[in-house]
Amino acid sequence: MSKSKVNKSQPDIAREQEPLAAAKNDSTPPNSVPRTLQDKVKELVRLSREQGRLTYNDIDEVLDGAAPEEMDEVFAKLHALDVEVVDQADVDRVKPADADED
């Protein structure tokens, strides 16, 4: 009778288990936003609550150097959170009217 089992050394077993361990430790759910992008979205939401609005300039400052796909994803998330994005010119146009009321 021949043995059908192949004895593996400890390093071989460890190498086989590395991908499994990495997969188990990966806490990022599938199809989720990378953590850094999530942080940027949170920052934009916080900023919109503080200012009462969010401008395209605010988004450009927070997403400095982001890829177009990332920007699309951020805009989609902001839209889903009902965060209104306005043009800076619209904000500037409203400011003088607010100043006259004082």
Side-chain angles (χ1 to χ4, degrees):
M1 286 188 160
S2 66
K3 286 187 174 180
S4 60
K5 282 188 175 179
V6 176
N7 290 332
K8 294 184 179 182
S9 67
Q10 289 296 342
D12 290 337
I13 293 171
R15 254 181 275 151
E16 288 176 1
Q17 292 175 347
E18 283 175 7
L20 295 174
K24 286 180 185 176
N25 290 334
D26 185 15
S27 61
T28 306
N31 300 326
S32 72
V33 180
R35 187 71 191 142
T36 57
L37 198 55
Q38 249 179 352
D39 290 340
K40 290 178 181 181
V41 170
K42 286 179 184 178
E43 172 67 18
L44 289 168
V45 170
R46 184 193 59 76
L47 191 59
S48 73
R49 288 183 181 157
E50 284 179 2
Q51 297 177 353
R53 68 192 170 286
L54 191 64
T55 66
Y56 291 102
N57 293 347
D58 295 330
I59 295 171
D60 284 341
E61 286 177 19
V62 172
L63 297 180
D64 186 39
E69 296 82 20
E70 290 176 328
M71 293 187 87
D72 289 343
E73 199 167 339
V74 168
F75 277 104
K77 290 207 173 289
L78 291 172
H79 178 73
L81 294 169
D82 292 327
V83 174
E84 183 181 5
V85 181
V86 296
D87 190 65
Q88 185 64 43
D90 294 336
V91 173
D92 293 341
R93 213 172 318 152
V94 173
K95 280 184 183 176
D98 289 343
D100 291 340
E101 292 175 10
D102 291 335

